[in-house]
């Protein structure tokens, strides 16, 4: 199968590209490097043991995206490309709507025009909103509390409407819980620009000495130790979930479907800190701070649907997530080399 991977230079995309190649797919990466570095590419080629075609393109460019799909000979697309920082989306809503929705529309137009109607889309547990029933099941009502979340919600709706209008589409919506971890080589991993918003990259930067201490956002939630509980899924398990979804779509009669990609297990902030301490062999300084606006106590996935229908489940532990993150961060204290 020949697969276009949009956003394939990014964190989750890069790990998925490697597994696609290992499974015998031909892969083409399309990325505009707005949130990734070109220096990931030689590392990916080294790990894959083969050249990987890359097209530098902004998917909001309708003509360029049309050309890419017209000339690519693709059987399927995995659509990772998008902006993902919640706080930034509140400050720059137009940019987020423009980029995330604009890129998806030009991609879908090109795919439709050229008869490539198989796509896996990166959605998020953020669509379960501010008051989820736990564990989050795929049929739960969805909502959004910020522009980033609205883009996921809206793109899901666009995809469902597309499948209703033309049942030759095969669309898989994957709702990721909290991705963590890195490739076992330590050559690729998560490299956020600026101050990390998410917990594990922040802990990793404290561990490597780039930041003084972690602020634990609240210790008075209704959770076993009072700190927030999330479902941390290893990025290599996530990547495997994409392969399972692609394969499923190839044999499916259902034009559109949705699956959670999570572990089903909750881990608290302090449990993740302690796991990281075991990985790096020293203490992670932290201080309890007020709750972060918009946060909730616990979120974790129902995982039965993905297991029953995709034959997939997460197999890697939280400790493997923190250990591989430490390997990546300690080998690359300042992330990927600058382009
Ligand atoms: P990332 O920022 O590392 O990767 C996204 C890639 O898309 C980047 O390489 C960026 O340069 C590229 N991109 C953005 N806009 C583009 C455009 N208009 N044209 C071409 N390329 C563009 O993010 P990630 O963590 O790998 O996330 C991948 C997807 O998964 C995103 O859609 C994100 O919203 C979603 N997701 C991520 C998380 C998470 O915590 N990492 C959780 C849930 C969902
Ligand atoms: C965030 C996003 C969400 C996205 C998800 C996965 C927000 C408000 N929500 O959610 O839309 O789908 O990532 O990418 O950003 N924490 C600290 N200190 C920190 C950072 C985080 O204590 O410096 C705590 C948080 O309060 C939370 C947990 O760690 O309890 C995880 O936080 P984070 O990694 O930001 O993920 P989410 O809050 O799940």
């Amino acid at each position: 199968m020949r697969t276009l991977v949009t956003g394939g230079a990014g964190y989750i995309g890069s790990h998925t590209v490697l597994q696609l190649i290992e499974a015998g797919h031909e892969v083409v990466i399309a990325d505009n490097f707005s949130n990734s570095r070109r220096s990931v590419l030689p590392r990916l080629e080294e790990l894959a043991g083969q050249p990987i075609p890359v097209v530098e393109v902004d998917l909001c460019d309708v003509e360029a995206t049309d050309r890419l799909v017209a000339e690519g000979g693709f059987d399927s697309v995995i659509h990772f490309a998008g902006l993902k920082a919640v706080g930034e989306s509140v400050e720059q809503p137009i940019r987020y709507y423009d980029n995330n929705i604009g890129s998806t529309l030009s991609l879908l137009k090109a795919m439709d025009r050229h008869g490539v109607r198989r796509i896996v889309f990166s959605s998020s547990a953020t669509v379960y909103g501010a008051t989820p029933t736990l564990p989050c099941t795929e049929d739960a009502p969805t909502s959004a509390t910020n522009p980033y979340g609205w883009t996921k919600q809206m793109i899901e709706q666009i995809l469902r409407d597309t499948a209703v209008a033309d049942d030759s589409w095969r669309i898989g919506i994957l709702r990721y819980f909290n991705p963590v971890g890195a490739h076992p080589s330590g050559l690729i991993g998560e490299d956020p620009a600026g101050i990390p918003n998410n917990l594990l990259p922040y802990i990793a930067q404290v561990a490597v000495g780039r930041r003084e201490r972690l602020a634990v956002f609240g210790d008075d939630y209704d959770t076993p130790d009072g700190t927030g509980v999330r479902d941390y899924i290893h990025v290599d398990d996530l990547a495997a979930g994409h392969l399972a979804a692609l394969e499923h779509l190839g044999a499916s009669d259902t034009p559109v479907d949705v699956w959670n990609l999570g572990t089903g297990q909750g881990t608290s902030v302090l449990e993740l800190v302690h796991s990281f301490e075991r990985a790096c062999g020293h203490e992670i300084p932290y201080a309890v701070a007020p709750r972060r606006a918009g946060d909730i106590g616990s979120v974790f996935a129902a995982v039965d649907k993905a297991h029953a229908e995709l034959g997939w489940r997460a197999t890697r532990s939280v400790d493997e997530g923190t250990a591989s993150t430490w390997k990546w961060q300690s080998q690359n204290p300042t992330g990927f080399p600058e382009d």
Side-chain angles (χ1 to χ4, degrees):
M1 194 171 345
R2 192 166 155 84
T3 304
L4 173 65
V5 182
T6 78
Y11 171 45
I12 304 168
S14 58
H15 289 78
T16 305
V17 160
L18 286 180
Q19 288 197 20
L20 286 166
I21 292 172
E22 265 166 42
H25 288 248
E26 282 179 49
V27 171
V28 175
I29 292 175
D31 206 299
N32 66 353
F33 301 99
S34 57
N35 197 42
S36 50
R37 301 255 193 215
R38 288 169 192 79
S39 58
V40 70
L41 301 171
R43 295 184 178 201
L44 279 179
E45 292 189 335
E46 182 188 334
L47 290 168
Q50 58 179 261
I52 302 173
V54 178
V55 180
E56 183 160 347
V57 61
D58 184 339
L59 295 163
C60 295
D61 181 336
V62 176
E63 281 83 37
T65 303
D66 188 75
R67 260 196 318 279
L68 169 72
V69 177
E71 293 165 6
F74 303 117
D75 305 296
S76 59
V77 176
I78 306 183
H79 182 35
F80 291 106
L83 299 172
K84 62 166 183 177
V86 171
E88 192 179 64
S89 81
V90 174
E91 286 155 20
Q92 304 173 24
I94 298 170
R95 178 171 166 239
Y96 267 68
Y97 286 116
D98 191 27
N99 188 74
N100 290 5
I101 301 205
S103 61
T104 304
L105 288 176
S106 59
L107 182 64
L108 291 175
K109 275 190 279 194
M111 290 175 67
D112 196 36
R113 187 169 307 130
H114 302 293
V116 184
R117 298 198 182 85
R118 195 185 306 176
I119 183 169
V120 172
F121 171 65
S122 304
S123 189
S124 165
T126 191
V127 302
Y128 292 115
T131 52
T133 304
L134 298 174
C136 300
T137 53
E138 288 86 345
D139 59 0
T142 58
S143 62
T145 53
N146 55 70
Y148 167 72
W150 279 115
T151 69
K152 294 300 180 194
Q153 178 90 321
M154 288 175 185
I155 293 168
E156 286 200 6
Q157 189 61 41
I158 290 167
L159 292 171
R160 279 190 287 268
D161 291 340
T162 300
V164 167
D166 177 350
D167 66 9
S168 70
W169 281 87
R170 292 293 177 273
I171 299 173
I173 296 169
L174 301 181
R175 293 180 181 154
Y176 313 156
F177 282 68
N178 292 62
V180 293
H183 189 269
S185 64
L187 281 178
I188 61 169
E190 187 171 12
D191 181 17
I195 301 171
N197 299 302
N198 295 119
L199 178 60
L200 192 60
Y202 203 104
I203 294 175
Q205 291 194 8
V206 172
V208 84
R210 278 172 71 181
R211 310 204 178 265
E212 200 179 334
R213 71 168 58 80
L214 172 72
V216 174
F217 296 147
D219 67 351
D220 56 354
Y221 286 106
D222 183 17
T223 61
D225 65 16
T227 65
V229 165
R230 296 291 184 274
D231 184 336
Y232 296 98
I233 174 164
H234 197 296
V235 66
D236 282 333
D237 278 331
L238 264 188
H242 289 75
L243 269 73
L246 263 192
E247 203 168 301
H248 175 88
L249 292 182
S252 167
D253 295 330
T254 310
V256 61
D257 213 335
V258 53
W259 296 279
N260 288 337
L261 295 185
T263 68
Q265 303 295 318
T267 301
S268 75
V269 173
L270 291 182
E271 284 171 336
L272 198 70
V273 167
H274 296 321
S275 170
F276 206 97
E277 289 175 336
R278 288 192 294 277
C280 72
H282 60 83
E283 273 189 24
I284 304 292
Y286 69 84
V288 176
R291 291 182 177 194
R292 179 171 65 179
D295 268 0
I296 51 180
S298 297
V299 188
F300 53 91
V303 295
D304 295 348
K305 187 168 187 283
H307 188 234
E309 296 175 6
L310 305 180
W312 169 92
R313 71 161 90 235
T315 60
R316 293 163 180 86
S317 65
V318 165
D319 282 348
E320 285 173 86
T322 53
S324 57
T325 298
W326 175 239
K327 183 162 186 190
W328 150 252
Q329 189 75 71
S330 54
Q331 288 181 17
N332 304 271
T334 53
F336 288 108
E338 287 195 29
D339 294 326

